[in-house]
């Protein structure tokens, strides 16, 4: 047995995030089918939404994805290396860097075939100066502001960039913006669409991109030339109306079972006082692993607004009780038969049995934060 195998054997009760490669690929194909006239890319920033950017990107490339989006150039370099090792043709794959362009990173973009997304006049100037210094010519993407007020050129700045593009001084391969409320029933998406149509018309012949995961469900008007799904790939946002599969399953092992008496307190701060004899399972996972303390069963200010999280054990939902601590979480398993559970049994905290969005709601947050906040000691295990 290798030393690594021995270490894993010793740590067999530690939290595990199981990642379903086939479900990830299936979700990408489902999202691609929503906009058949557009290319379908993938947001793999934040280390592939916490699952591992390298395996995520290579799995999606195998499924047919050729356009990837990261936040920083360093993330783009890691994805490029992973794709190259998987045999991907650099000339046939685009990696867009959404933020962080500065003079020092221009050579990095050129060396690794990364496409900067220019969102400010300074970005435009830095890219042009960098290309001039390097004696190179490479296309960039341009982001325009359509109503989110986050990143993007305003109307006047967009007109100036358009003049540069038309004159040939700013080669572009994409004009893009970002939908702020595509997953909510608001009129903002339609307003953003109209503004994007007007601004992108200043760049005739340049491919366009507007839709995130939820945007792919808004109709063909939102597809343009390239979509950029993110959370939908990973099974979040309630599977976007049930069309997508859960990809990640978080499990941890029971460390101890005990029966506490009615009237006794449970967990830190005596936040939960038992009104009946209760069988408690102590599970080896906590907020240091990425299970939010705000999903606790009692003693948290958010509790009047959000129900406590559930977990799945022996085929049945069981509630979290007491406060989630750094390394441990307590579950009320009184409803389960005495012989149904024992120390070492694994508990699902989200996955096919407990939707990740449900757990996120219990913590007053979103699935994005749960996935990207998974701790380093949680083993990522691809299945």
């Amino acid at each position: 047995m290798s030393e690594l195998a021995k270490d894993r054997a010793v740590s067999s009760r530690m939290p595990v995030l199981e990642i379903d490669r086939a479900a990830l690929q299936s979700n990408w194909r489902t999202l691609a089918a929503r906009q058949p006239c557009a290319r379908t890319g993938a947001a793999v920033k934040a280390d592939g939404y916490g699952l591992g950017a390298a395996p995520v990107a290579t799995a999606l490339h195998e499924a047919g994805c050729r356009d990837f989006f990261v936040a920083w150039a360093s993330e783009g370099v890691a994805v490029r290396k992973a794709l190259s090792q998987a045999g991907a043709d650099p000339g046939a794959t685009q990696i867009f860097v959404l933020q962080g362009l500065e003079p020092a990173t221009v050579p990095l973009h050129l060396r690794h075939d990364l496409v900067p997304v220019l969102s400010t006049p300074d970005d435009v100037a830095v890219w042009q100066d960098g290309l001039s210094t390097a004696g190179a010519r490479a296309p960039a993407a341009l982001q325009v502001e359509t109503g989110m007020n986050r990143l993007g050129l305003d109307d006047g700045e967009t007109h100036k960039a358009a003049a540069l593009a038309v004159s040939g001084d700013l080669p572009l391969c994409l004009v893009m913006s970002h939908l702020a409320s595509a997953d909510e029933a608001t009129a903002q998406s339609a307003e953003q669409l109209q503004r994007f149509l007007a601004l992108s018309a200043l760049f005739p012949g340049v491919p366009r991109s507007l839709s995130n995961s939820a945007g792919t469900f808004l109709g063909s008007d939102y597809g343009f030339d390239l979509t950029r799904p993110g959370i939908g790939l990973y099974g979040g946002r309630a599977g976007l109306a049930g069309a997508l599969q859960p990809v990640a399953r978080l499990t941890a092992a029971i460390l101890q079972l005990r029966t506490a008496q009615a009237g006794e307190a449970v967990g830190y701060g005596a936040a939960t006082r038992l009104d009946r004899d209760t069988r408690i399972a102590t599970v080896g996972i906590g907020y240091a692993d990425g299970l939010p303390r705000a999903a606790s069963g009692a003693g948290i200010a958010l509790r009047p607004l959000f129900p406590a999280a559930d977990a799945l054990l022996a085929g049945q939902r069981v509630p979290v009780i007491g406060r989630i601590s750094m390394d441990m979480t307590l579950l009320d398993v009184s409803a389960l038969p005495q012989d149904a559970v024992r120390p070492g049994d694994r508990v699902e905290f989200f996955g096919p049995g407990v939707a990740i969005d449900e757990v996120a709601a219990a913590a007053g947050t979103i699935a994005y934060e749960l996935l990207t906040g998974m701790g380093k000691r949680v083993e990522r295990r691809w299945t």
Side-chain angles (χ1 to χ4, degrees):
M1 180 182 293
S2 69
E3 289 302 314
L4 179 60
K6 290 178 182 177
D7 289 344
R8 285 181 176 171
V10 169
S11 306
S12 63
R13 292 191 177 187
M14 291 184 70
V16 172
L17 189 68
E18 299 172 12
I19 305 160
D20 188 333
R21 193 172 192 269
L24 175 69
Q25 294 176 322
S26 174
N27 288 345
W28 183 85
R29 294 187 182 102
T30 297
L31 290 163
R34 298 293 307 186
Q35 296 290 347
C37 296
R39 300 196 317 274
T40 300
V44 296
K45 56 187 179 176
D47 196 26
Y49 281 50
L51 307 187
V56 165
T58 53
L60 293 176
H61 182 271
E62 183 180 283
C65 184
R66 296 296 181 267
D67 302 277
F68 301 88
F69 291 82
V70 297
W72 302 105
S74 57
E75 293 180 317
V77 171
V79 171
R80 176 63 74 198
K81 290 180 177 178
L83 292 175
S84 296
Q85 290 171 0
D89 178 4
T93 55
Q94 297 185 103
I95 300 174
F96 295 88
V97 180
L98 294 166
Q99 61 197 49
L101 183 66
E102 53 188 309
T105 62
V106 171
L108 201 63
H109 283 76
L110 296 174
R111 190 160 61 248
H112 295 280
D113 293 312
L114 307 179
V115 181
V117 177
L118 312 178
S119 300
T120 69
D122 284 346
D123 285 345
V124 174
V126 166
W127 184 241
Q128 289 186 299
D129 290 345
L131 292 181
S132 177
T133 299
R137 184 173 177 83
L142 196 76
Q143 182 163 209
V144 297
E145 160 56 28
T146 58
M148 193 173 188
N149 283 309
R150 191 172 65 168
L151 277 180
L153 300 174
D154 63 26
D155 289 13
E157 294 163 349
T158 300
H159 278 82
K160 292 178 182 178
L164 292 173
V166 171
S167 69
D169 292 331
L170 182 64
L172 297 175
C173 63
L174 189 70
V175 176
M176 59 178 281
S177 191
H178 193 73
L179 293 170
S181 307
D183 55 345
E184 300 174 12
T186 72
Q188 187 180 19
S189 293
E191 294 170 358
Q192 286 191 266
L193 173 62
Q194 293 307 311
R195 188 167 180 183
F196 183 65
L197 284 168
L199 292 176
S200 62
L202 300 172
F203 304 87
V206 179
R208 297 176 290 178
S209 178
L210 181 62
S211 286
N212 50 15
S213 294
T216 64
F217 286 76
L218 294 180
S220 59
D221 288 348
Y222 290 81
F224 292 100
D225 301 289
L226 173 64
T227 64
R228 314 184 309 272
I231 192 63
L233 295 171
Y234 308 100
R237 283 298 192 194
L240 292 178
L244 305 171
Q245 302 177 36
V247 170
R249 178 175 183 258
L250 178 65
T251 69
I254 295 174
L255 304 179
Q256 187 181 55
L257 291 162
R258 71 166 64 247
T259 298
Q261 305 303 309
E264 292 185 337
V266 174
Y268 276 122
T272 296
R273 186 71 62 175
L274 301 176
D275 58 6
R276 55 176 170 75
D277 293 354
T278 303
R279 196 161 187 240
I280 299 171
T282 301
V283 187
I285 188 172
Y287 58 75
D289 305 295
L291 187 65
R293 184 175 182 269
S296 299
I300 300 297
L302 291 174
R303 281 285 65 81
L305 300 177
F306 303 102
D310 280 346
L312 186 70
L313 176 61
Q316 186 168 323
R317 301 280 289 263
V318 293
V320 172
I321 60 171
R323 293 179 180 173
I324 294 171
S325 56
M326 183 181 292
D327 313 299
M328 288 173 280
T329 296
L330 306 178
L331 302 175
D332 180 353
V333 298
S334 305
L336 298 176
Q338 287 278 339
D339 60 353
V341 295
R342 58 188 182 275
D345 286 352
R346 297 199 72 84
V347 180
E348 177 184 307
F349 284 87
F350 62 72
V354 183
I356 188 171
D357 295 280
E358 183 181 338
V359 180
T365 186
I366 54 178
Y368 303 73
E369 188 171 12
L370 284 189
L371 287 175
T372 60
M374 285 290 102
K376 293 181 179 179
R377 66 187 183 188
V378 177
E379 179 189 349
R380 276 69 167 171
R381 184 181 298 168
W382 286 76
T383 64

